[in-house]
Amino acid sequence: GNTVGILAGTNSGLVSNVHVSGASSGIGSGSGELSKVGLLVGVNADSGTIEYSSATNGSVTGYSYVGGLVGQNYGAIKESYSTADVNDVVTAYTLANTDKYFMFIGGFVGGNAGTIENSYAVPEAAIKGNGGIGAFAGLNTSNGIIKNCYTNASGKITYNDWNNYGYITLGVGKNSATVTNFYYVGSTAASAGTIMTESALKSATSLTGFSPSVWNFGTSSQYPDLINNPR
């Protein structure tokens, strides 16, 4: 199918303290319908909440809106993380037979039109796609809110960009809304957020907006960890 996750294709309720690993794959229909694929959930609906959950040690693949945790978010996600690898299967053929929105690939979510807070994405090895790629989110729409989050996919993003769509960054691919207290590892500016080195992110004793009741800053060899959802 094209709306796929290990736990659920679509969540309209509460997902709390759920942790998945493995592989999730979704393909578009023969008519070119877009996919929405996450390792945990394909679509988190506007009435859906995901909290204290994770997607690790696996990979997720689809045509479009592919995310390490969630494919497309319309609801709320908090204190969750992903270390999954993310891939799309867009080809020159599918691009010729669909429109330019047959993409949006992110280490945490493919597309966001809801609220994501106090979360992070650090893919194990790779994010691969065409256009609209972000280490954290491929797309943050005009209704989307991302705050108190971080990501690192430096050196892990590969792309073809056959249709010259662009929006390929180490942060949020295409951003049209609010991104606050968002940190990413890289050397070039993205559409939103604050650049950090990997060593600075690992050795940070605090980050603006990151509450000590939510985040734990450990040793210089570890990324900030969630107190209520530790690695």
Side-chain angles (χ1 to χ4, degrees), residues 186-197:
S187 58
T188 57
S191 57
T194 301
I195 299 174
M196 298 191 77
T197 64

Side-chain angles (χ1 to χ4, degrees), residues 43-97:
V43 173
N44 190 42
D46 55 5
S47 59
T49 296
I50 297 173
E51 61 182 16
Y52 317 124
S53 297
S54 68
T56 61
N57 301 321
S59 63
V60 56
T61 303
Y63 277 136
S64 57
Y65 295 98
V66 187
L69 190 80
V70 173
Q72 175 73 299
N73 176 53
Y74 297 99
I77 304 175
K78 68 176 184 179
E79 294 182 54
S80 297
Y81 68 92
S82 174
T83 62
D85 294 331
V86 187
N87 309 277
D88 79 2
V89 290
V90 172
T91 66
Y93 173 79
T94 57
L95 283 170
N97 290 275

